[in-house]
Amino acid sequence: MPLKKSNSAAKKPSDAPAKKAPQPITPVRGMRDILPADFPYWRKMFETAQGLCDAYGFDRIETPVLEDTPLFVRGVGKQTDVVEKEMYSFETPGGDKVSLRPENTAGVCRAYIHHGMLNLPQPVKLWYWGQMFRHDRPQSGRYRQFWQYGCEIIGEEDAVVDAQLALIAWRYLKDLGIESTVRINSIGTPECRLNYRNALVAYFRPKRSRLSEEDKKRLLKNPLRLLDSKDPVVAEMKVEAPQIVDWLDESSKNHFMRVLEYLDEVGVPYQLDPFLVRGLDYYTQTVFELYEATEEEGSQNALGGGGRYDGLMELLGGRPTPAAGFAIGVDRVISRLKASSQNIEPKKVDVFVAQLGEGGRKKALAIFEELREAGMSASENFAKNSIKAQMDIANRLGVKWTLIVGQKEVLDGTVIVRDMDAGTQEIVDARKIVQVLQKKMIQKEQEA
Ligand code: AMP
């Protein structure tokens, strides 16, 4: 069929609507990219966590970032800020109500129940590392997507577990070069908390008119959360407020005393914080947070936190199972490490492979593979043509040797080996390059 001649073909280009250049897309508010420059810190944090968890006998667990919303509503608590205001919740096309996890303890407990880990030798010790999501107001140290490293000990009620978890969290920060203090409190059993809650309401109710709208709501719905209020008026009122320690039953008091005795025994520095209650509903008995030792009292910039959550498993439909854990805020610790310009050693590279011309590049590509297979740390920049540019990179990396492969070396079956410290060069048989370098490395080590 002949194509109809279109009128638009006759249009002059100036009549066509101006094409708008597409706007660059920025990250979603509160989300951010983690760039290569930060990765030495991330790597150090992860490897330190892994080493510590191996040493303390924890196994790694990874749970999905997306869970059924009721997991968090039941586990973390409907009236908590995290669930009420900060969850990324949505309905899937299939009609399921799901949420991005705001924390990982509920997910780990769900996995414990789902996989029948109750039948394993108890306690089950698990650690995780992953992203959490909270639709909080973005500000310094607070992101909408952030990472936590956490440890959970499930199936043991003894106070020694609470103390050891606080010890591991403290030790972790210490291994990273951060001196911290554990702020600690006990919130007892749900029964103790109910009595305390009534005492707290009775104390704050006559002062209600001076509270902000937000805190009035808290007084009504979740009075313990008033203790976390950042309002200076509440901070002033708090001084005289009842303290939960006076509402603990004998067994809870005893449990808490033992946690403190264990911490004394291992020399973990702690401060009693009578108003520390933590934001999530599932805590029972011990609660703690870690702050940098130099941090002012009353600061809200915790590097990590944790506690005991004996009732959570039952809330999630499992058998009653005592458990405790902690989570460290990875992003915050990294900011802290960067701020103190703590030197993270750059990756050490021993050899740089430089090339000249197409033949040299081909041979250098193969030599690089040989070095890598022999386990040597080598670097290259095959995209560069100039030897000078490649030598500059080799110098910047601080390598001990640079190999140079040009057209002549390809024809001769040789490689030039340049000792970067001495500034000397020698020509070696290309087939023996790995052995020659290995020998040189041993020599350098012996000289050092
Ligand atoms: P939480 O259990 O809520 O106290 O969280 C444990 C740790 O995770 C905190 O002490 C913080 O270091 C970190 N954290 C919590 N929320 C955020 C956030 N929105 N952005 C960055 N880090 C966070």
Side-chain angles (χ1 to χ4, degrees):
M1 201 170 96
L3 283 175
K4 228 174 130 189
K5 206 174 170 195
S6 149
N7 281 343
S8 62
K11 263 191 186 171
K12 278 189 250 145
S14 55
D15 294 343
K19 233 191 191 172
K20 247 193 176 171
Q23 288 295 309
I25 295 171
T26 53
V28 172
R29 193 164 133 80
M31 309 279 168
R32 72 203 203 286
D33 302 310
I34 296 160
L35 299 174
D38 279 352
F39 267 91
Y41 294 95
W42 284 79
R43 186 175 175 161
K44 180 164 178 181
M45 279 200 68
F46 182 81
E47 285 174 0
T48 307
Q50 190 164 44
L52 209 62
C53 288
D54 285 347
Y56 284 94
F58 285 78
D59 291 317
R60 176 92 190 262
I61 187 165
E62 190 64 64
T63 60
V65 291
L66 204 60
E67 298 269 9
D68 271 343
T69 299
L71 173 68
F72 304 114
V73 175
R74 269 151 71 182
V76 176
K78 202 174 177 176
Q79 308 292 352
T80 59
D81 280 0
V82 166
V83 168
E84 199 178 41
K85 297 191 223 143
E86 298 171 6
M87 272 218 299
Y88 280 90
S89 299
F90 54 95
E91 209 171 295
T92 65
D96 296 328
K97 290 192 166 53
V98 294
S99 298
L100 287 172
R101 63 184 182 193
E103 59 88 63
N104 207 189
T105 299
V108 169
C109 288
R110 185 212 31 76
Y112 176 96
I113 299 166
H114 184 72
H115 299 282
M117 292 190 215
L118 193 66
N119 300 317
L120 299 174
Q122 306 290 302
V124 172
K125 295 161 86 174
L126 301 169
W127 77 280
Y128 61 84
W129 173 285
Q131 290 104 316
M132 310 298 149
F133 301 83
R134 292 185 194 172
H135 196 269
D136 203 352
R137 196 165 61 84
Q139 52 192 296
S140 152
R142 218 162 260 286
Y143 307 105
R144 290 182 171 175
Q145 177 183 355
F146 60 99
W147 271 252
Q148 284 185 341
Y149 148 54
C151 287
E152 315 286 358
I153 301 185
I154 306 173
E156 179 53 64
E157 62 186 353
D158 200 277
V160 71
V161 161
D162 313 36
Q164 201 184 25
L165 284 161
L167 161 71
I168 297 170
W170 172 79
R171 159 78 47 210
Y172 178 60
L173 295 175
K174 195 172 174 63
D175 286 354
L176 291 168
I178 301 173
E179 292 299 335
S180 67
T181 304
V182 178
R183 294 190 197 162
I184 194 163
N185 192 22
S186 172
I187 54 170
T189 61
E191 294 75 44
C192 308
R193 224 156 48 240
L194 192 64
N195 293 334
Y196 176 59
R197 184 192 148 109
N198 294 339
L200 213 55
V201 173
Y203 174 80
F204 277 106
R205 198 179 282 135
K207 303 175 175 53
R208 194 177 170 277
S209 58
R210 289 170 58 209
L211 295 178
S212 66
E213 285 312 306
E214 179 73 22
D215 285 336
K216 276 181 191 153
K217 260 192 245 156
R218 284 177 165 161
L219 179 63
L220 203 67
K221 288 185 172 175
N222 194 351
L224 263 68
R225 294 287 291 139
L226 262 180
L227 302 174
D228 287 338
S229 169
K230 293 179 187 97
D231 187 343
V233 173
V234 179
E236 199 190 304
M237 290 178 186
K238 242 165 59 173
V239 180
E240 303 269 297
Q243 300 189 353
I244 193 157
V245 62
D246 297 321
W247 299 86
L248 294 183
D249 57 30
E250 277 315 302
S251 144
S252 299
K253 262 189 212 158
N254 192 359
H255 188 275
F256 190 38
M257 286 314 294
R258 287 186 50 232
V259 174
L260 300 182
E261 281 167 19
Y262 288 125
L263 289 179
D264 286 332
E265 185 63 31
V266 284
V268 172
Y270 63 83
Q271 284 168 4
L272 297 178
D273 182 343
F275 296 119
L276 179 70
V277 288
R278 312 255 309 127
L280 319 180
D281 270 4
Y282 54 57
Y283 286 111
T284 49
Q285 309 288 355
T286 320
V287 283
F288 61 86
E289 279 182 347
L290 290 106
Y291 287 83
E292 189 162 7
T294 50
E295 193 87 42
E296 274 173 36
E297 222 170 292
S299 114
Q300 309 256 351
N301 234 354
L303 296 176
R308 177 160 284 285
Y309 49 92
D310 290 346
L312 178 58
M313 219 51 97
E314 226 178 331
L315 277 177
L316 300 181
R319 280 208 243 145
T321 313
F326 72 80
I328 296 279
V330 173
D331 311 66
R332 281 197 199 167
V333 175
I334 287 181
S335 305
R336 159 64 186 71
L337 292 179
K338 284 170 73 180
S340 69
S341 60
Q342 224 193 68
N343 278 334
I344 301 259
E345 288 225 342
K347 206 175 101 205
K348 242 180 66 209
V349 183
D350 289 327
V351 190
F352 187 85
V353 184
Q355 39 70 39
L356 197 62
E358 186 52 26
R361 181 178 291 158
K362 236 184 229 165
K363 185 71 192 158
L365 188 70
I367 289 179
F368 187 84
E369 287 309 294
E370 261 186 76
L371 302 186
R372 221 189 46 73
E373 275 167 30
M376 291 182 190
S377 73
S379 190
E380 46 72 25
N381 193 327
F382 294 142
K384 291 256 184 284
N385 292 322
S386 122
I387 277 287
K388 180 170 178 312
Q390 294 179 70
M391 293 309 276
D392 285 348
I393 299 171
N395 274 320
R396 246 196 338 266
L397 289 171
V399 296
K400 296 192 181 79
W401 298 279
T402 299
L403 310 186
I404 304 164
V405 195
Q407 301 287 20
K408 179 169 181 337
E409 287 70 37
V410 174
L411 290 175
D412 296 350
T414 57
V415 175
I416 299 174
V417 179
R418 184 178 174 83
D419 184 317
M420 300 296 277
D421 293 334
T424 53
Q425 289 188 179
E426 63 183 289
I427 295 169
V428 305
D429 183 340
R431 288 166 305 180
K432 298 205 176 114
I433 189 66
V434 168
Q435 290 105 295
V436 170
L437 282 173
Q438 278 169 339
K439 224 161 145 190
K440 283 179 181 296
M441 280 179 188
I442 294 170
Q443 259 171 13
K444 272 253 187 274
E445 259 170 40
Q446 282 167 349
E447 281 165 23

